[in-house]
Amino acid sequence: MANRKGVFIGAYVPNELKESLRRRAAAEHRTLSQEITRILVEAVHGKGLPAGSVDRRAGADLPRRRSTDPLPRRRAEDLPFLPSEDKKK
């Protein structure tokens, strides 16, 4: 018996779905099991970084301002952009 890391999850799926997953896995040069694992990880933990990318954020870093600012994001007292007078001519 092969030494596998993880647990077996059995599920009945329509044959068309299995074949679609198998084709998608083959296109990405993965096994069917690897493709299903990748889909489940994305579903549970969210989409990760693209392949080859490195997450340089430290674990204790706060999220960027956009996630902490209350709505509306743009301040009401901001003035709209007006081109200078010499540019209008």
Side-chain angles (χ1 to χ4, degrees), residues 1-88:
M1 184 173 193
N3 185 12
R4 302 189 192 275
K5 293 183 179 183
V7 296
F8 177 79
I9 298 176
Y12 288 100
V13 296
N15 199 38
E16 318 78 70
L17 179 58
K18 179 185 174 189
E19 288 305 311
S20 295
L21 286 169
R22 188 190 58 72
R23 284 192 300 272
R24 189 162 135 186
E28 298 289 329
H29 305 288
R30 295 187 182 107
T31 65
L32 181 58
S33 182
Q34 288 171 330
E35 184 67 11
I36 292 170
T37 301
R38 184 192 63 76
I39 291 168
L40 288 172
V41 167
E42 280 185 7
V44 173
H45 299 295
K47 199 161 176 89
L49 294 171
S53 296
V54 178
D55 188 2
R56 299 188 196 291
R57 294 175 297 176
D61 283 352
L62 291 173
R64 292 191 178 223
R65 188 184 75 127
R66 171 124 350 248
S67 60
T68 57
D69 274 358
L71 290 173
R73 304 263 187 242
R74 190 167 289 275
R75 294 182 300 260
E77 64 271 6
D78 282 351
L79 296 174
F81 173 75
L82 295 174
S84 61
E85 293 297 321
D86 56 319
K87 301 278 182 183
K88 288 184 180 179

